[in-house]
Structures are given as structure tokens and as C-alpha cells.
Amino acid sequence: MSTSEELESSIADTFDLSARGYDRFAVDLFRPMGRVLVDRAGLRSGEHVLEVGCGRGSTLLAALDVVGETGSVMGVDGSPGMVQLATARLRDRHSANSDVRLDDVDKPNFQPGSFDVVLANLMVFQLVDPAAALRHYATLLRPHGRIAFSTVAAPDRAFVDALGAIARFAPKLSAARGPFRGEAAIRGFLADHGYERVEITEDVLEIRFRDAEHWLEWMWAHGGRELLDRVPTAELARARAAAMAEIESARSADGDLVLTTAVRFTVAAPKTPARV
Ligand SMILES: C[S@@+](CC[C@H](N)C(=O)[O-])C[C@H]1O[C@@H](n2cnc3c(N)ncnc32)[C@H](O)[C@@H]1O
């Protein structure tokens, strides 16, 4: 296995484990974020949509509401557990124009020009080779097609401190900050890889937890477990206690822990061939 194949399979494994608990804790970040993403992408009735890294399908459902019976939604994910869960949720909607497939999220296998919109909700920073992936997504779009993705602009201070507390017990990873670290970086990266007409907006989304235990359960149930998984078993109790102490600073007057996350929504169109 090459290094990038190993990385890809470890991301898929993390999400496969997460899939079992994902969204189970009445903490729904992806649904509101998916609705905003669909709105910013300017989805219209009758359009054909691909979502890469569709997870449990929250954004697919939001897209389906807009494209209606004359459009279609297709989700791909690298985790079999996520594909199963998203398929079940779409089946509950009895829609004949939606589907979910297990596929390589960096290079989903579709005919060129199959979609009006490619969506990616909170996943582009997990791509093994984001430059190659963005170039591939451009080929899947029809003329006038667009890509829309969300990234975190600013996490809650308490969340950063709690992750920092866990990280003290885990081996350090290299501190590469990636092409999605800020607005200027995103614009430059998209221009370098064949996109233009970039529009970036920000919204602040809130997630609520009953208490620190609830927050920690949720951490195990999404991509955050990747950090927890790196803590040696003998240190896990101390890492948990340190993180729970930090997250307490998000306690609001009504008694809940409230984390606010600034989310960045980016929409861009592939350059016309003459300008690539
Ligand atoms: C944060 S979740 C996405 C939530 C989802 N978009 C939604 O709106 O509900 C990220 C998803 O991307 C998938 N994913 C991200 N990078 C991946 C990779 N390199 N290989 C396989 N799957 C990946 C994960 O399996 C996971 O389901």
C-alpha cells in the first residue's frame, strides 16, 4: 500500500467507526450546515447534484428538497458504514432520483459532465490530494456547473483548548496547515487548480451539549475521534479529564455547553477551457 493509500484507508476506517455513533446524540451540525451549503450553491429545481464525502446523508436530503423530482442527488463516501446509513435515510424518503455509492472521494467514478453541482460539506480538508480531487471534480461538471464546499473558519475557543488538552497526551502530527486554512489561501488554491468566480461567505453555527460527557461522546462519533484514537490507552482517562475541564468554559447561562463555529462556504466555477 502506498502512503496516500494508507492515509485514505485510515480516514475511511475512522469514519467507519464514527458512523456507528454519528448524529446519535441529538447534536446535529451537518444538517444546518448542509442547508446553508445548498443555499449558497444556488441549487435549483431539476439540477443534478453529486455530494462527495456524503457521510450519513444530511446534505443529500437538503439538496433533494430543492432539486425535486426532476433533478437528482448522488452521494459518494469512502466508508461502508456511512454509505449504509445514508442509503437507509434516502430510502425512507422513497425518492427514485437519489443514490449513494461507496467510491473514492478523491476521484469518484462518473462520466465527465454528469452534474450541475458538486457539494462537499466539511470534508475537503480530509482529501488525500485536494488539488487532484478539485481538478477531477471540475471534469464531472457540465458547462455552467459549480462546486460548493464548507470549511471551518474559526472553531470555538473552548473547543480549541479542549483539543489542545487531548493533544498533550497524543503523539504530535506535522503541523501542515493546508490549502483551506483561510480565505486568501482558498482563493489562490482554486485559481491554481482551474476555478474562477469564487464567492466566499461565512455563517456562525451553534451546537449544544448537555454537559462535558455528552460533548466527549460526540467527539468519538465523528472525525474528532482520530485525535482520541492516538492517545495511549494508559493516558486516556487523564486526557478525557483535561479536555472536559477545558470544554466547561463553554457553559452558557441556560446550563448547556454551547460551542459556536464560524463556517466558511465557498462556491466556484471551473474556468472555461480557453482560460485553464
Ligand atoms: C464530516 S463527514 C461529512 C458529513 C456529510 N458531508 C454531511 O453533510 O452530512 C466527512 C465524510 O467524508 C468521508 N471522507 C472524507 N475523506 C475521506 C477519504 N479520504 N476517504 C474516504 N472517505 C472520506 C468520511 O467517510 C465522512 O463520511
Side-chain angles (χ1 to χ4, degrees):
M1 227 190 234
S2 71
T3 313
S4 71
E5 280 168 345
E6 270 172 30
L7 176 60
E8 201 155 348
S9 105
S10 95
I11 294 171
D13 288 350
T14 295
F15 276 101
D16 232 23
L17 292 169
S18 309
R20 299 175 198 163
Y22 198 74
D23 268 8
R24 201 177 66 201
F25 306 106
V27 173
D28 198 349
L29 177 62
F30 300 120
R31 196 176 307 186
M33 208 183 272
R35 282 200 205 103
V36 180
L37 185 64
V38 161
D39 173 66
R40 299 298 144 84
L43 274 200
R44 292 183 289 268
S45 167
E47 287 196 310
H48 300 282
V49 178
L50 171 67
E51 191 198 0
V52 288
C54 63
R56 278 189 73 224
S58 293
T59 304
L60 289 176
L61 292 171
L64 195 55
D65 285 340
V66 179
V67 300
E69 289 302 311
T70 54
S72 66
V73 300
M74 165 65 74
V76 294
D77 203 283
S79 147
M82 292 294 185
V83 169
Q84 228 174 29
L85 290 165
T87 303
R89 285 176 92 194
L90 285 171
R91 201 183 303 124
D92 286 347
R93 286 280 291 268
H94 303 290
S95 83
N97 54 345
S98 62
D99 201 1
V100 185
R101 287 188 198 165
L102 184 66
D103 201 349
D104 178 356
V105 290
D106 277 71
K107 206 170 182 211
N109 186 15
F110 295 98
Q111 291 297 318
S114 297
F115 301 100
D116 298 295
V117 179
V118 172
L119 298 174
N121 193 16
L122 219 57
M123 64 75 72
V124 282
F125 41 83
Q126 288 157 349
L127 290 164
V128 173
D129 183 348
L134 285 176
R135 287 196 301 269
H136 180 71
Y137 300 160
T139 68
L140 302 180
L141 289 169
R142 298 175 170 171
H144 312 295
R146 58 233 183 258
I147 177 171
F149 59 84
S150 60
T151 46
V152 172
D156 195 285
R157 186 72 240 168
F159 185 70
V160 174
D161 291 344
L163 292 195
I166 299 172
R168 286 200 291 278
F169 297 90
K172 281 229 171 335
L173 288 183
S174 70
R177 298 204 52 226
F180 305 105
R181 64 189 176 276
E183 200 172 316
I186 292 175
R187 287 184 185 280
F189 191 69
L190 286 171
D192 288 348
H193 297 290
Y195 289 84
E196 62 184 359
R197 285 184 278 137
V198 179
E199 285 172 23
I200 300 183
T201 51
E202 261 183 51
D203 271 44
V204 175
L205 299 179
E206 207 176 71
I207 25 178
R208 286 180 171 264
F209 302 91
R210 284 187 306 279
D211 50 30
E213 280 284 353
H214 185 203
W215 170 77
L216 205 56
E217 281 175 16
W218 175 77
M219 281 290 290
W220 281 108
H222 68 91
R225 73 172 293 143
E226 191 274 336
L227 174 62
L228 288 159
D229 276 337
R230 288 192 291 112
V231 176
T233 313
E235 297 283 26
L236 204 50
R238 288 174 64 209
R240 285 171 53 104
M244 285 163 68
E246 293 290 352
I247 207 72
E248 272 303 325
S249 68
R251 181 79 64 189
S252 71
D254 65 14
D256 283 352
L257 295 179
V258 181
L259 297 184
T260 54
T261 308
V263 182
R264 192 174 278 129
F265 296 91
T266 301
V267 182
K271 286 180 189 165
T272 51
R275 299 178 59 187
V276 174

